[in-house]
Each structure stands twice: as structure tokens, then as C-alpha cells.
Amino acid sequence: MFSGEIPTSIGSLSSLEELYLDNNNLQGNIPASFNGLVSLKRLEVQSNKLDGEFPELGSLKNLSFLDASANAVSGNVPLTLPESLVQISMRNNSLQGKLHPRSFKNLAFLQVLDLSHNNLSGSVPLPLFTHPSLQQLTLSFNSFTSVQSPPFPLTTVLQSEAIAIDLSNNELRGFLPTFMALMPKLSALSLENNKFSGMIPIQFAIKTVLPGSRLSPFVRLLLGGNYLYGPIPDRLMELQPGFADVRLNDNCLYRCPASFFFCRGGDQKSHVECKSFSPLIPRKM
């Protein structure tokens, strides 16, 4: 077991392909001298006490796996990341500021991105939804306030490789992003515990119950803990338990009793709470 700071001389090990420094008692900054590890394919520094800003590691042309989770890393997500990255995990840190599309623009092989449990804010950038290889996006437990939507026609969205998206536990407002129901491979979507309002788009219901041959159905659709109002789409009312994991609890919906499996897990919000959030929300019937 290591302790103390990571020595800057570690960058001289240019032939090193894998570096495991996880679950130690390491403190201080992640040294910029890591850029000397030009053969590195895998870097694991998770579960330490590392702090400071994450260094630019653009010179690591072979790095495919990066895990710096469960530290105290602060500052912005680096603008320059190795283009060879397939998986990035920096959850449970103190990252802040906005996500810049430039950080991921050239990561043509990226499949997994987990930046959950940080202090990121602003908009979730559109390129994360139109990325040519990204399959799993986890940005839960941050402070994002909006989702950038694509312009019509939705050509780039229809080419998305995303399978699972988790934007739960943020401060997201506005209407539910309807374009996500047109993402062909997206089967797990969590938008729980945000501040979305408006009615549930019929496209969400269709993708869950009757998606068509070119769309993977939603097998997991979590919308609880928002301010959604109006009736539940008829298509969703056709769902039987076990067909899909759908959660609509803790909203402002009409007629969503616990007798419906997708309404369990908490009552709908009171009319007073719904009206205090937005006077436009009609009285529940």
C-alpha cells in the first residue's frame, strides 16, 4: 500500500502500459508528469485523497481506460483528453463548471462516461447525445439546469449509439427532452429527481410499449420526482408489471394511484406544491 504524494518521477516510466494506484492513501495533485507515460493504456487512481485540478493528459495517445473516481479532484473537466479513451470515470469528486463540448469532440472511441456525484452545472451539451460511439452516459447528482436539444432534422440523434443515459438528481428544467425517444438504441433513461414540467410526451409511451422495428424499447424509464402534469398517456396505461421498469411517482399527474405499478414509490405532489412551483400546472383531477 502506497501513501503520501504521487512522485513526479513516475513520468519517466515511458514503457509502462498499466498503472494501478487505486485504494491507497495518496494525497496531493495528480502530477502532469503522467504525460511521460506514453505507452500507458490503463490508469487507475480511484479511491484516494487526490485533489487539485486534473492535468491535461493529451499526450497519452494509447490510454483507453481512465478511472479517477472517489477523490477530491476539483476544477473543470480537462479540455484536452487522450483521443484513444474508451472509458472515463471521474465520479465522486469536486469537479465544477460547465461541460465543454470540446472535451469530448475528438474522443472517437469513447463508450462510457461517468461524471456523476460532482458539482457540474449549466447545460448538458448536445454532442454527448449525438456522439458516434458513446453507449453509457452518467451525469447524475450534479447541478445541471438544462439539456441541449438537437435542431430538426434529427439525423444525428437517429445515429446515436447510446444505450443508457442517467441524468437523475440534477436541477434540470423545462419539458422532457422528446428527442431521446427517437434515439434508436436507448433502452434505459433516468430523469428522476429534477424539475421537469409539462406533460409526458406520447413518444416516450410509444417507445416503451410499441417502439417499432427500428427503435429499441425503453425497458427502464424513470421520471419520478419531477413536476410533470396532465394525464398519463394511454399507451403507458397498457403496461403490465414486468414488461418495463417505469416510475412516475412524486409528480403532479392526474390519476396516478399506487394501484398502477408505475405510480408506486411515493404519492403525487400536493396541489399546493405543484402550484408553488408553477402557477401553470392545472389542478389534479
Side-chain angles (χ1 to χ4, degrees):
M1 181 174 179
F2 296 95
S3 62
E5 297 186 355
I6 301 174
T8 56
S9 59
I10 201 169
S12 63
L13 304 176
S14 59
S15 61
L16 193 66
E17 294 189 358
E18 297 181 347
L19 181 58
Y20 299 93
L21 296 174
D22 53 300
N23 291 284
N24 285 286
N25 196 32
L26 295 170
Q27 304 176 21
N29 296 349
I30 299 172
S33 59
F34 271 14
N35 277 291
L37 304 174
V38 293
S39 299
L40 199 63
K41 297 179 181 179
R42 189 179 187 95
L43 175 59
E44 298 196 28
V45 293
Q46 70 270 25
S47 300
N48 283 291
K49 299 178 181 178
L50 299 169
D51 55 19
E53 295 189 7
F54 197 87
E56 305 276 349
L57 297 178
S59 63
L60 303 186
K61 304 299 184 183
N62 296 298
L63 190 67
S64 61
F65 183 94
L66 169 62
D67 193 342
S69 301
N71 282 287
V73 177
S74 59
N76 298 324
V77 175
L79 290 178
T80 304
L81 290 164
E83 297 181 7
S84 53
L85 278 167
V86 174
Q87 181 168 337
I88 302 173
S89 181
M90 298 179 70
R91 64 183 181 275
N92 288 302
N93 276 288
S94 299
L95 295 171
Q96 58 190 26
K98 298 180 179 180
L99 271 186
H100 199 292
R102 177 181 157 190
S103 297
F104 312 99
K105 180 180 179 181
N106 297 319
L107 306 186
F109 307 103
L110 187 64
Q111 295 180 10
V112 177
L113 177 62
D114 187 349
L115 299 176
S116 59
H117 293 269
N118 279 286
N119 300 314
L120 299 169
S121 59
S123 294
V124 181
L126 176 61
L128 290 178
F129 304 113
T130 60
H131 195 282
S133 64
L134 189 61
Q135 298 176 15
Q136 180 177 324
L137 174 63
T138 307
L139 299 176
S140 55
F141 292 93
N142 278 285
S143 299
F144 291 106
T145 54
S146 62
V147 174
Q148 289 185 0
S149 298
F152 288 95
L154 303 178
T155 306
T156 52
V157 170
L158 296 175
Q159 297 171 350
S160 170
E161 293 292 313
I163 297 172
I165 294 176
D166 187 352
L167 303 180
S168 63
N169 295 280
N170 278 282
E171 299 290 327
L172 297 170
R173 291 177 175 265
F175 298 138
L176 291 175
T178 305
F179 73 89
M180 291 183 180
L182 302 177
M183 298 173 76
K185 298 183 180 180
L186 186 62
S187 60
L189 175 61
S190 179
L191 300 175
E192 284 188 310
N193 301 321
N194 280 288
K195 295 181 179 178
F196 286 114
S197 60
M199 299 176 67
I200 300 174
I202 186 62
Q203 292 90 339
F204 278 60
I206 293 173
K207 184 173 171 65
T208 306
V209 180
L210 192 67
S213 59
R214 296 185 179 182
L215 291 177
S216 296
F218 279 135
V219 297
R220 186 174 178 85
L221 179 61
L222 309 183
L223 304 177
N226 284 285
Y227 290 86
L228 304 174
Y229 58 80
I232 300 171
D234 290 340
R235 286 291 186 183
L236 282 182
M237 299 295 286
E238 301 172 12
L239 276 178
Q240 298 297 317
F243 186 85
D245 182 8
V246 177
R247 301 181 200 173
L248 305 178
N249 59 292
D250 192 24
N251 277 289
C252 301
L253 295 166
Y254 295 163
R255 296 184 296 276
C256 195
S259 56
F260 294 116
F261 77 95
F262 43 77
C263 294
R264 296 171 187 164
D267 295 335
Q268 296 295 297
K269 290 180 170 71
S270 69
H271 177 66
V272 172
E273 183 179 355
C274 294
K275 279 291 190 181
S276 65
F277 177 78
S278 173
L280 299 177
I281 295 179
R283 179 179 292 276
K284 293 182 287 183
M285 300 174 62

